[in-house]
Structure formats: C-alpha cells, structure tokens
C-alpha cells in the first residue's frame, strides 16, 4: 500500500503520517525532513535547498525527483510508503508515476485562515513530534521523548505566506490529478483533534489494509 499525503503547510501531514506509520507500519518519507537533514549536515544538496526553502519556493524538480527516486529504489519501505511533501507539482507527480505505484492520495483539507496560526505557533522536536504553543503551557521539551523543542527557520510569517501561495498555485492542483485516477480521498483536517482526523483516515485505510 503506497500513499501520497497532500495538504497545505500546517494541514497536519506530519502528525497524521506519524499516526499512520505507527498503526500500519508504512514508511514515512518527508522530503522537507530530508532537505532539513541535508542543511544540518552541510551537504551540497542542503546548501542548494536552503536558498529555495528560505524563500518559501520549491527546490528544483531535478534535485527533488532524484532524491525521492533514490530513496524509493534503494531504501527500505516496509509495508509500503507514505510520501509527505512529494509530489508538490504536476511534473513531480508524473515522474513519480514512472518509478513507483501510488495506491491512494490522502488530501488533508484545512481552511487557509487556520494555517498561518498553526504554522507560526508550531514547535517541533527532532523525533518528529509537533506541538502548538497554545497547548504547551510553557513547556520547552518534547512530551514524547524529552528533547528540546524548536521552531523551524521557515515557520515565520513572511516565508509562510510564500509557502501558502506556492501551495495554492503549484500543489493544490494535484487533488484533481489523483481524483482523475480515482485515487483521491479528502479528509477535513480543520475541525477535529489529530486523533479524530486519524479515525476518519483509518476508516478509509482499513478498506485497503487488513
Ligand atoms: P511544509 O509542508 O510545512 O511547507 P515541508 O517540510 O514539507 O514543509 O517542506 C519545506 C520546504 O522544503 C518547502 O517549502 C520546499 O522549499 C522544500 N520542499 C519539500 N518538498 C519539496 C518538493 N517535493 N519539491 C520541491 N521542494 C520541496
Ligand atoms: Zn520528541
């Protein structure tokens, strides 16, 4: 079972990916995480990616597609993969169809006015957990693993504005791409807790995975 997670920045892709991974054993592959690891490690890919990420733009397709192709072709994918942050435009979706099979696209739909607050108030942990300042009660460490929480460099208002624009113009059309293939499942990600959103996704995934 191979899944593409679609949704604007702040829609909750990473949070749902973690829940899906724990429940179904699918391997979570997030291009944003891969780029951030490369930036941290000072690699050539990291240096190139940073200039685009800081602007809220997309990293060039050649780089991103090659990275994902290599990961899917040469890396472990357990019971299947779950792509988070890829594909991000129609070109990438077409390339993905050349080197892997996609069974389902889960589109997490959240109203734009909620996203800015969610992202600017987001605090993350290197274990993958993600929190919002409004529910942290001043805590500065991860409730799951105890490591310090931090704010992503690109989670600032100016960059978020650009990321939301990039999403609307380049990534949102992918919903139609997968709908035309009969693979689209859209879930409301804006009006329930992460667990409630996951319950809806689970109902759908249980049809595919026993
Ligand atoms: P978010 O979905 O919250 O914006 P991500 O962690 O998925 O954050 O991505 C962060 C940044 O990494 C993006 O703004 C973009 O610059 C870059 N990036 C991630 N995935 C891709 C991709 N598939 N193609 C091009 N750029 C990407
Ligand atoms: Zn943690």
């Amino acid at each position: 079972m191979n899944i593409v997670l679609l949704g604007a920045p702040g829609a909750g892709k990473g949070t749902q990916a973690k829940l899906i991974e724990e429940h179904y054993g699918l391997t979570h592959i997030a291009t944003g995480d891969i780029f951030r690891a490369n930036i941290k490690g000072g690699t050539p890919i990291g240096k190139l990616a940073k200039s685009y990420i800081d602007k809220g733009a997309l990293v060039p397709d050649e780089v991103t597609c090659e990275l994902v192709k290599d990961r899917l072709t040469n890396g472990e994918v357990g019971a299947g993969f779950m792509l988070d942050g890829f594909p991000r435009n129609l070109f990438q979706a077409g390339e993905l169809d050349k080197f892997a099979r996609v069974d389902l696209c889960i589109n997490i739909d959240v109203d734009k006015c909620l996203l800015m607050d969610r992202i600017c108030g987001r605090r993350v942990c290197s274990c993958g957990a993600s929190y919002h300042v409004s529910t942290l009660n001043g805590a500065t460490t991860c409730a799951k693993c105890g490591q310090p929480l931090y704010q992503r460099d690109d989670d600032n208002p100016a960059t978020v504005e650009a990321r939301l624009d990039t999403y609307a113009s380049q990534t949102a059309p992918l919903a139609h791409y997968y709908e035309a293939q009969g693979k689209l499942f859209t879930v409301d990600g804006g009006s329930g807790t992460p667990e409630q959103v996951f319950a809806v996704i689970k109902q759908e995934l249980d049809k595919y995975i026993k």
Side-chain angles (χ1 to χ4, degrees), residues 18 124-131 141-149:
K18 242 184 145 16
V124 295
C125 174
S126 55
C127 79
S130 169
Y131 304 86
T141 53
C142 176
K144 293 194 179 115
C145 76
Q147 296 183 85
L149 299 177

Side-chain angles (χ1 to χ4, degrees), residues 7-11 13 30-33 35-36 49 52-61 64-65 68 84-89 92 119 122 152 154-155 159 163-164 166-167:
K13 296 187 298 294
T31 41
D33 289 348
F35 287 134
R36 282 185 288 279
Y52 294 92
I53 291 176
D54 286 348
K55 286 188 291 204
L58 296 186
V59 177
D61 288 334
T64 311
C65 290
V68 175
D84 165 1
F86 185 94
R88 234 175 170 96
N89 59 30
Q92 293 181 5
I119 308 173
R122 172 159 72 182
R152 271 169 47 176
D154 60 347
D155 280 356
T159 312
R163 283 156 63 200
L164 292 175
T166 302
Y167 180 81

Side-chain angles (χ1 to χ4, degrees), residues 76-94:
E76 283 293 314
V77 289
F81 63 74
M82 192 172 25
L83 288 173
D84 165 1
F86 185 94
R88 234 175 170 96
N89 59 30
L90 288 167
F91 177 80
Q92 293 181 5

Side-chain angles (χ1 to χ4, degrees), residues 38-57:
N38 275 278
I39 292 172
K40 211 172 162 191
T43 69
I45 286 187
K47 289 197 178 95
L48 178 123
K50 187 170 172 11
S51 59
Y52 294 92
I53 291 176
D54 286 348
K55 286 188 291 204

Side-chain angles (χ1 to χ4, degrees), residues 50-117:
K50 187 170 172 11
S51 59
Y52 294 92
I53 291 176
D54 286 348
K55 286 188 291 204
L58 296 186
V59 177
D61 288 334
E62 312 83 76
V63 178
T64 311
C65 290
E66 203 44 51
L67 203 87
V68 175
K69 186 178 178 186
D70 178 67
R71 175 63 187 82
L72 291 184
T73 321
N74 302 318
E76 283 293 314
V77 289
F81 63 74
M82 192 172 25
L83 288 173
D84 165 1
F86 185 94
R88 234 175 170 96
N89 59 30
L90 288 167
F91 177 80
Q92 293 181 5
E95 289 301 298
L96 175 61
D97 282 339
K98 292 181 195 163
F99 58 76
R101 187 195 76 238
V102 173
D103 299 303
L104 185 70
C105 170
I106 300 176
N107 179 26
I108 307 177
D109 188 34
V110 175
D111 202 87
K112 193 182 170 218
C113 60
L114 279 180
L115 296 170
M116 182 60 89
D117 171 66

